[in-house]
Amino acid sequence: MTDFDVETATGAINAALGGPGGLGLVFNVFSGVPGVTRTPPRKSMFRSDPERVQIGSWRYEVTRDQRIKAGHVVGGIVLAEELLPAAAIAPHLARALAEIAASYGPPALPHLSAALEVLAGAG
């Protein structure tokens, strides 16, 4: 992979979302990519926090009703949030990964390529 291809990434993510691993697999696979931070869900008696994945300047979290909320985060401040329809999840994640590829450059491309290969094989 010499350059990041958003269409290929969208296809691999869509395949994985439709497979047995679903969104959890996608979040786990991309957690090893530079610029991606995964926070597992936390539950306690008085408080619970959903699973979150920060990809570049986008934060994704699973809501209580199992939908995906995307938030654009700059400097720790959420500038915008939206609930993503199922059809928009893969393209949105692919664009966020393209942001990682652009900001981290060639060192991130092997990590992205490996993650996409895992997802393509899982779908």
Side-chain angles (χ1 to χ4, degrees), residues 63-113:
T63 63
R64 289 181 189 214
D65 58 356
Q66 299 302 306
R67 294 188 294 169
I68 302 300
K69 182 168 53 171
H72 190 230
V73 180
V74 176
I77 299 171
V78 179
L79 298 178
E81 284 187 329
E82 63 181 309
L83 281 173
L84 297 176
I89 294 170
H92 206 284
L93 286 170
R95 286 190 303 272
L97 292 168
E99 180 184 318
I100 293 283
S103 63
Y104 281 80
L109 293 177
H111 296 280
L112 289 167
S113 177

Side-chain angles (χ1 to χ4, degrees), residues 16-33:
L17 288 173
L23 187 64
L25 174 68
V26 173
F27 281 177
N28 281 331
V29 166
F30 287 121
S31 66
V33 174

Side-chain angles (χ1 to χ4, degrees), residues 52-68:
R52 290 183 176 158
V53 174
Q54 177 93 22
I55 302 176
S57 64
W58 287 94
R59 182 183 70 202
Y60 300 94
E61 64 183 56
V62 180
T63 63
R64 289 181 189 214
D65 58 356
Q66 299 302 306
R67 294 188 294 169
I68 302 300

